[in-house]
Amino acid sequence: AQSVTQPDIHITVSEGASLELRCNYSYGATPYLFWYVQSPGQGLQLLLKYFSGDTLVQGIKGFEAEFKRSQSSFNLRKPSVHWSDAAEYFCAVARGGIKAAGNKLTFGGGTRVLVKP
Amino acid sequence: DGGITQSPKYLFRKEGQNVTLSCEQNLNHDAMYWYRQDPGQGLRLIYYSQIVNDFQKGDIAEGYSVSREKKESFPLTVTSAQKNPTAFYLCASSAGLTDLGLFGAGTRLSVL
């Protein structure tokens, strides 16, 4: 069965510093991978997704993620964080290579990011 | 504008009561999903539907029921059999794999 692990429950970073959030997945075939952000009390917003091709994916809000098959990882990065980046971030995996409708997402437990002034 | 609308934003349930959460989409998507979010556990899939009049159980379907009578609507009923219903409920829809990732704003359910 597919699974997603986000090893860091909380991360505190200073404003202007770089940020990296870790995500490891377990899935036998080619995974389709996603990163979401959730502000308190809000729904999820898609930051970026990886299906195939270039392993470095650019997303919204200055985020990027790199797919590393050999490490089963899809880490999210941002070179310089802003106070508005304080939120919870979720990594997710969907089964690849099958009919898309009905394709389900499996989520990691999330990483809460705190930004210090 | 196309999107996914969940209502109400907040909902309270009394003991022994069934409550229904609404999810509507005007994106013409075939597939719709319900997830439950608890602190520290990420999101877990409750039910999903690939097409009208058909739906499948997800990982935590016990105590919940759904219907899919119209393409644009996928209501979730939290029954009295769900003993721990307090959570944040999120609805999603997709037309294909590239559309995965579109969520509503959520409904927060609490028990009185």
Side-chain angles (χ1 to χ4, degrees), chain A residues 61-79:
Chain A
K61 303 187 178 191
F63 285 93
E64 66 178 24
E66 186 171 12
F67 171 61
K68 292 185 178 180
R69 184 186 299 276
S70 61
Q71 298 177 19
S72 297
S73 70
F74 188 56
N75 294 348
L76 181 72
R77 300 192 292 253
K78 185 168 184 177

Side-chain angles (χ1 to χ4, degrees), chain A residues 32-73:
Chain A
Y32 291 173
L33 296 158
F34 304 78
W35 272 101
Y36 295 87
V37 62
Q38 184 180 36
S39 297
Q42 303 297 312
L44 272 66
Q45 182 180 21
L46 181 65
L47 286 175
L48 48 80
K49 55 192 174 186
Y50 171 77
F51 292 154
S52 64
D54 192 347
T55 56
L56 185 62
V57 181
Q58 300 298 319
I60 63 171
K61 303 187 178 191
F63 285 93
E64 66 178 24
E66 186 171 12
F67 171 61
K68 292 185 178 180
R69 184 186 299 276
S70 61
Q71 298 177 19
S72 297
S73 70

Side-chain angles (χ1 to χ4, degrees), chain B:
Chain B
D1 290 337
I4 303 170
T5 302
Q6 290 188 241
S7 62
K9 188 170 183 178
Y10 299 97
L11 187 59
F12 297 91
R13 193 191 90 167
K14 295 179 182 178
E15 291 290 336
Q17 185 182 41
N18 293 352
V19 292
T20 298
L21 285 62
S22 171
C23 178
E24 304 275 334
Q25 53 98 359
N26 60 2
L27 301 163
N28 200 34
H29 285 173
D30 286 317
M32 297 186 73
Y33 314 77
W34 274 106
Y35 291 88
R36 169 178 171 144
Q37 185 178 22
D38 295 282
Q41 295 192 46
L43 281 74
R44 293 178 290 167
L45 183 67
I46 305 172
Y47 268 100
Y48 66 102
S49 167
Q50 299 184 51
I51 197 168
V52 174
N53 293 322
D54 183 62
F55 48 83
Q56 312 294 328
K57 292 182 179 180
D59 303 316
I60 55 165
E62 186 174 351
Y64 300 97
S65 66
V66 293
S67 63
R68 187 83 187 278
E69 298 176 0
K70 299 185 296 182
K71 189 174 187 178
E72 60 270 22
S73 178
F74 191 42
L76 173 74
T77 296
V78 183
T79 74
S80 57
Q82 173 49 246
K83 298 307 179 186
N84 184 24
T86 297
F88 192 47
Y89 292 86
L90 288 157
C91 177
S93 72
S94 69
L97 195 61
T98 56
D99 287 316
L100 279 176
L102 299 176
F103 281 81
T107 293
R108 186 165 300 279
L109 175 63
S110 301
V111 176
L112 289 176

